[in-house]
Amino acid sequence: MNGQPHPSHVAGPSNGIPASSSSGRGIRVPTVHEALPYTPFTSIIHFSPAESIPPPLAIPTPSPSYFGDNPEVIKAKETLAQLSAGASNAQEASERCQRTLRDVQKLLDPQHLTQFAFKRNVRPAHSQGQPPRQQQSNARPPQLSSFARMVLETNKVSYRYLTPESPELQASSEADGRIHINGNGVPPTLNLPTPQSRGLPNGHATPYTEQLPNGSQGSRLQAVVVRDLLTPAQRAEYRVIEESDTMSGARDATPSRVRDNAFVNAHRSVSVDQKQKGDLAVQNLQNLLSAILDAEDQMPTGASDPVPAQISAVITTREGDDGVKIVLQHQAQRQLEASVQKVTSNARLDDIDVDSLMRVQKLCESAVSEVETLSLQVGEEWSEQDVEEWLQRIALAERGITAARTLMRIMGAGAHVKELQSEDFLRAVLAAIRAVLEGCIVPVVEARPSKHEKIRGVKEEAPSNPIFITASTHQAHLKTLMHTTTKTLRTLGDFLLSTELDETSLSGVESFCTLLIFTENASMDRDSVLGVLDFELTRRCAMDVLAKDFAKYTEQRQTILDYLLMSLDKLPAAKQSARQYKLPDSKPIQLVSALLMRLVQTSATHAGEATKGKTKAVEDDGDADGEEDSDDEDDDTEIKVASNKKSHNRPGDLLAVVKPLHDAAQHNASYIVKILLQRALSSSKSSDEPYRKLLDIFTEDFLNVLSSSDWPCAEMMLRSLVSNLISMVEGPKSTSPARTLGLELLGTIATGILDLQRNAGNAARSLNLDESENAKHIAGLVEQLDRGDLEASSLVAFDGLYRSVVEYLQARGLDDAQLRSATGYHVMQWAFLLSGGREGSVDSDTGGTPKPSKDLQSSLRNMILNLHWLEDNHDYPTPSTSQGRLAAMVITLSSTLCKAFNRILSVLIMSMTHEQPKVKSRALKSVLTVLEKDPTILDRHEYVLQTIYRCANDASPLVRDSALMLIADCVKLQPELDMRVYGRVIDRTRDSSSGVRRRATKFLKDLYLGKPCAKMRSAIADAIIARTNDTEEPIIDLARQIMEEIWFLPLLGCKLDGDEAVNAKLRYAAQALLMIRTVEVSEATASVLESLIKQLITKSKTPSAHLAVCKNFVRVLSDGMIDTTEIDGSLTQSSILCCLAVFARACPIVFTAAQLERLGPYTQNLARQDDLDVYRSAIIILRYAMPHQSELKPEFLKQLQTALMTSIPKLPKSELHVVVPCLWTIDNKLGSRDRMVTFVISAVRNIHAMRETDFAQQPQATTKVSRLMLIVGHFGKVYDFEPNLARFKELLPSLKFSSVAAMFVDVLCLLTEPKQPVDVREPAIEAVAMICQTSPKLLLRQDVVQAFEIVFREHNALLEEALLVGLEGFFSAGEVNEKSDDVPELGSGVASGHERLGKTYVATDQDGASTSIARRFLPQILRLALSAEAELSLVASKIIISVNRQGLVHPKESGPALVALETCPNVAIADMAFTEHKAQHTKHESYFDKEYMRAVQQVFEYQRDVIGSMVGFIGQPPAAKMHLTWDVLKSGKAQVRKKFLTNLAGKLDFDAATLDPTHLAPTHLSFVRFCVENLAFFDYDRVEEILHLLEAMNKIFSVTGVAVAQLIDSEVLQLRVGPADSATANGDLAEASEVEPTAALPDPARLLQLAVAAQICSLIWTTRNFIRDLWNMKKHLNRPKSSAKESNKTPSRTSNAASLGEHYLKRIADIMAADATPDSQRAVSASFAELISTDNEVKVASEDEDNGDLEVGDDTPSESASRKSPSLPPSGGGRGRKRKSAGAGSTPRKKKRASSGRRKSGSAQFDEDENGGWA
């Protein structure tokens, strides 16, 4: 079978026929070599289906092509040798051998074989005399190979010999032109013509007598009869071949590789069609070359000689720099290219004369060289003639590029012919390609319809760019040029592999390929001249060229990567235009992403395999223009030859083979990732540089192909990226932007892993398990992977997942270079995992390697060296597409990247607790993206939710907001979490940040609508209702809108009568239950709900509809009051009545008379506390609703009046304010108040009678008189008894009065005197204040004023509270607010007069009294507002705010108090003060501006004396205590803020001589601390504000700080300066001072004074440096003068703001604690002296540096700033430059030895070592 001769004889019968029988007949048994061409396999050969064997021709041909010395023959021989090796050992017969044997048996089945009747011919006469022994010896059969013998012995194919034909038949055969063979098998002597050739290989003519190679077909062909059909011309092409020539090789039937080398190279192993095509292609090219060269020879030499038409149709001349050059015409050039392409594709270029090829190369080179001189760019202002000339140049360029392709084909196919190679040709080709790309294609591709950028939302306009218009008009010519260039690029890629290029040429190739790859095309065809897809094909060809360069020239790999990575800034950052590389099973990706992955995969492929194959995308799309050479390229694909090196099959060699491949791929992947990260870190998403966005795009591209079997290196790229990102996130020195970038990408990668898991699960479920056993196996592995028990052995087993993927890729074809690289990478990973790779070795831990593992390692080694080895040696069912893809997914899911998912998640979760708010927020968002992909993480990892909860309580508003957003998304993903989180969300509705409150409120709405749980809904509704009293108007509107949407809008149109009454009642009952539960929470909720309902029925879009809803609510609640089961059996009547009371206050008109009459029984009994609750609610309803009902029965009213009057003595004080107004309403309804007059007169008479009672001795009298006074006060407040004056005088004859109200005050004032007990005075004061609310002029009475003054003077809290409550009611009653009925609405028809003015400009007793009281008692009210009593402070604050609203006093009088109240710990007080302060600041900014320093002092005193805290910050992270004040200032003018900062900095200054340190805590020291801490933590809006503040602090420190330092030097440190020498006189700082003690130490008081001064100065300087570093002001301070644009910018905090703040506060605490003892006082003084005498921001020169003058840094205040000393102020702690001299009055210092080098000040910035170390 292998065709090799053996010396042994035939040993036995063959195929049932004895050898002697065969030899006796004189016929030699043919070898397979000889027999194969005449078998049925002449059309299809089993071992190589791609080729077929040529039949016998009418000419002598070489030996059977399958046994020549060319790649196909070598491949076939290898196959046969492998089969024979497998058949040599029966025990270890290969699967391939067995399979092939079975296939051969099927083919040799007699039932399916055609029966051939071979006729026996008569032997020639001259051979009949030959002895039989000689005949037998000439026909010795060779010994068969192992596989051939196996085939022969296992198959039974019978045959027989026929008898010779009769002479008649022979004659008939001769007449028919058939072959005749005599009986002895010896052919007759015939003369056979052979075709003549223009030339033989290598251009050498061969004489016709040349002997044909041994073993040729002529040695077996006995006779050929040439038919008469041949013409004389055809017969002339044949020559006579002697018989000796045909028989010369009879002894050697096997072709010799050495002797036949030249000949076989000229005749490939081809099929009949391919052979004919090759011959035809050679003939056509020869004819064309003859025509071209003949035309060139006949070209006239003279310039004026006419050129014949036949010649001008082929060639022409062109003027050039080197003179006139002959070039081919366009059509001739195309024909030449097509002909050369066909010849080279058939590997028949050696049949062409070399001289002819060299001459045609010259012609092509002329056309190619011309391209470089052409101007191909499109002009903007061209005429029609310019365009025509440009089109001519485009045609010339197309011809040149076509000629360049022809040149490369000739040089590539003739690489072994030195004469055809020329570096000049190559340089010209590359120059031409570059010229076309840079001069024409790239500019045209980058041209856009408009020169201006598109504006989103603006209508598309007609193209205005003249370049685009011109190019679009002639699009066809440009596309032709581009397609021609594309083909040339493809040819260039093949040329790279077939030849060796120098580094210069490779650099040029890489340069213009990179240019093409990074050229930005439009994203839509209408904006692109050449089209998106068409240019993408060209770009892919450039990518393929680079990939081939990378594969072959390993020394260029780093250069190529650098080319690509350094050009990333040219990529479009828009995702739509970036992703144009379409994939069959994934979304499009960037072409650069695909290229980088392919390069990495190529690095992992063995060098011999990496250069094989073509890129399928290029091969399939390459000839889309349909030129004539496309078919030949597809049909005649070159067959590549696998490496023929012998493998030693040593398992230990596997690691040595695979590790370099893995390391190369890992190195390249890491390098790419490193560059991408470095570039991304240097830019942001908002910057002009695209690196940050590109990193996102690259990451998404890698994730997009992570599940694909074609791009396995995506896992390695992402693995390297994850490793770097985790290092960035966890690195202690990483910046905040780096951490946020890492967290964002880690979140993206984690979601990609989850997507892969989901896709794998879906693919496994959709897999057809009945398809094959392999499908079941893969599906089982997916289940194991889900359970987490997938073993590595399942992956690396020979029939495991890697095998499935490799087989799947090989089935798709390894001729595709992309699939070949993917296969090589998979095999590398397979081998690396087996030999101890990413998850460790799967071999056993014992010393010896098991035999299966050894065999597997040997197989993998062979597969790495030869990717075809697997399909050649092992049989495996071809996996389906779904199986192959799923197997690739499982391999990726088992990789290190996917196994690191928990690690990634852990990093994200831990980052949620980071100290930097931006990092926390980014971590929360990344966790959210992960949870959106897989909500079950919350179930598997409980700590995730707990960490999110902690973040919801974080100190940073940004983190809290992100945590709320994340919790909201978690609830969407897992709705059952709502019951666990709603309480935490409610807490966030009271957050200090308005943004957090807003988000929490919105989130609560979603929670409310998501689950019908009454308890949860009630709590949520209460929280939302509370927000209607928020300080931010948008949040108030939001809360109102939400309550309307969840409570009222769903019930619009829902009627309690009609067909849907039952359902409507159920819905109302459910909502009423929720309202009741909400109102039960607190009284504050009820009041806010009341305000909300008022808003809905008056200011909503549908007030009448909302009023109808409220009416239905009241109806349902009223029915439920009688029978609680109507709503819910667990409710009490008290709770229902409380809810009804809310409606009564908000919209009393919705009640009916019948509903009010139902309340009568509830006003009768007050035996228990529950009865009191019911009673109170019933009275409130009646009090508000009765005035609006005219149908109440008099009997009911009288009965109700009696019940109420009876209960008055038993009611507590809190209920009287409801009962008395209700009685007043009843009296008005009945039209008589006699009973009330009598009742009140009785009370007054009793009070007057007890005026002389000693209440101290009679406690019962105290209780009685107190109750009576409250009754009189309440009735005097509600009733107007002036019409009943006569009745009062009649019944109280002993009292003299002209007014009932005045009489009440006369009686009550007697009991307000200081001699009365407090228990009596309190109700008396309260009663007087209540009566004065109705009769304001009484407040002007002397006795009333005196009574109030006594209360304020005594500072009795009970009396003050009683008085303030009354005054608060008085002032609030005087406010005209938006709800007042006194204000006419617009459009109401009120036009003028008193009705129009209302009470606005009409003077009343209220106006005069309120103004008088406000001015008289405002200081006392301010005192109480700033007191420690919470209740007093709250009421007093309300009075102050009311006074300011009414404008009763000048704003500056209460302004400082409002500022102080903003710092109150009571949130209600602080919010009220902030709201009013902001309003007053807006109206009277100029007034407030002048009072802010007094306000700061008052704030400090308030905090020190009342709150008990002298620090200037609150919370963690720290915020300024006066942050609300700063927020008010930020709402005003910038100039006011700058003035505030200047004045506040000025308040820090002091005079050291008058500083009083005697207090336990020195006042000014504490004040300075309070101020500087506020300044440190203000949230500044502009850079100029900070610069202004720093300048002000510098100025103060330059003056006062230096003076204090001088005093410390002279008095505490007692330093003196020695006599100056020449060095000092010359200004050399070579001398220092040293301490010389004096006679006396400073006085302790003086020492303390200087220590406190040092503390103050240290506080100022430390705060100055902290503010500078916190807001990154160094870069602004270094500039001579910041521009206005820079100054108006918003400053940004440094990334380590949290740690910076901690260091600052620690430093402040250390400074404040430094004056405790005399020793510490000396220490702080010395420290300050060192601080100010040492410039920590100067640069100390080294010994090698030149001496020079000291240059002070920008942070050091100028010397001229000091008025007291020429010394410079300090710049911070640490060692630095000493002052040159002391002040004029200081003691001279003794000199010290000079240092080795001078200290030189530079511009280096201050390093805050001594002040906290945060630099």
Side-chain angles (χ1 to χ4, degrees), residues 215-234:
S216 66
Q217 186 174 338
S219 63
R220 298 185 301 275
L221 184 61
Q222 305 303 317
V224 176
V225 177
V226 181
R227 295 179 180 274
D228 296 333
L229 298 178
L230 295 177
T231 63
Q234 292 173 333

Side-chain angles (χ1 to χ4, degrees), residues 943-957:
Y943 64 90
V944 175
L945 204 57
Q946 296 300 324
T947 307
I948 297 173
Y949 291 159
R950 287 197 296 272
C951 291
N953 296 321
D954 191 82
S956 170

